[in-house]
Amino acid sequence: NGTNAVSQGVEVYAQHTLSFGLGFQANFTYNSTSMTDVTLGGQKVGNSPLVGSARTQVNGSVFYENSFLLLRASYNRRGELVNGIVSGLNYYSDPFQQIDLNASWYVLQNLSINGSVINLTRSEDRQHLGNDTTARFYASTYGGRILYLGANFKF
């Protein structure tokens, strides 16, 4: 992903489920990267943060599960992300966060009804050019709020 660059960090993860089915999962990642050389035709023309690397990432879920039901709410947050270079400037994705919901109802031993809401918060991924300001808008991606409903049958 780059010459002479270093990526190092730490990830912390925890999970616990209480005896009656309530539980949580959480993780936090911190990543520190150095600058990498940008070359063109074999010659160094500048340097850039490592592409595709966010400094922080947080994920957390709260769930309840028993033999008939599974309910889960998840929160995800990614810090600023370097995407690449456009017109000589790095372009960055702004910090992004969203909440997702999932549920499963086990109607019979071999039949379940499942539903999900992805991006409940209708979060939008926005990008900007350069590391000196977030006001230099570059692009925006919005996947919408997505709803899934389905059934699983085991035979």
Side-chain angles (χ1 to χ4, degrees):
N1 197 355
T3 59
N4 302 320
V6 175
S7 175
Q8 58 188 2
V10 64
E11 182 174 8
V12 178
Y13 175 81
Q15 177 178 344
H16 185 71
T17 305
L18 300 171
S19 61
F20 60 91
L22 183 65
F24 76 92
Q25 294 174 316
N27 80 321
F28 172 77
T29 303
Y30 175 81
N31 184 30
S32 178
T33 62
S34 63
M35 301 291 274
T36 184
D37 294 340
V38 176
T39 59
L40 183 62
Q43 291 204 351
K44 180 180 174 184
V45 294
N47 57 19
S48 168
L50 278 177
V51 172
S53 180
R55 184 171 297 264
T56 59
Q57 175 80 33
V58 176
N59 304 291
S61 293
V62 176
F63 60 88
Y64 174 77
E65 184 173 14
N66 63 29
S67 56
F68 302 103
L69 186 65
L70 167 65
L71 301 171
R72 178 181 301 271
S74 300
Y75 170 79
N76 304 291
R77 184 189 187 283
R78 181 208 68 227
E80 186 176 70
L81 179 70
V82 181
N83 293 306
I85 296 178
V86 172
S87 300
L89 292 171
N90 284 315
Y91 77 99
Y92 297 82
S93 286
D94 293 343
F96 179 81
Q97 60 188 359
Q98 76 179 44
I99 294 175
D100 302 328
L101 303 174
N102 300 291
S104 292
W105 176 38
Y106 305 104
V107 181
L108 301 169
Q109 183 178 359
N110 55 354
L111 174 66
S112 65
I113 307 295
N114 309 293
S116 296
V117 179
I118 308 300
N119 196 9
L120 175 71
T121 50
R122 295 182 178 174
S123 298
E124 177 182 343
D125 192 12
R126 296 177 51 86
Q127 292 91 36
H128 65 274
L129 289 173
N131 62 358
D132 57 337
T133 179
T134 60
R136 197 177 295 116
F137 177 77
Y138 177 66
S140 177
T141 306
Y142 176 63
R145 179 185 291 161
I146 302 170
L147 307 172
Y148 292 102
L149 183 62
N152 290 335
F153 184 77
K154 297 179 191 176
F155 54 94

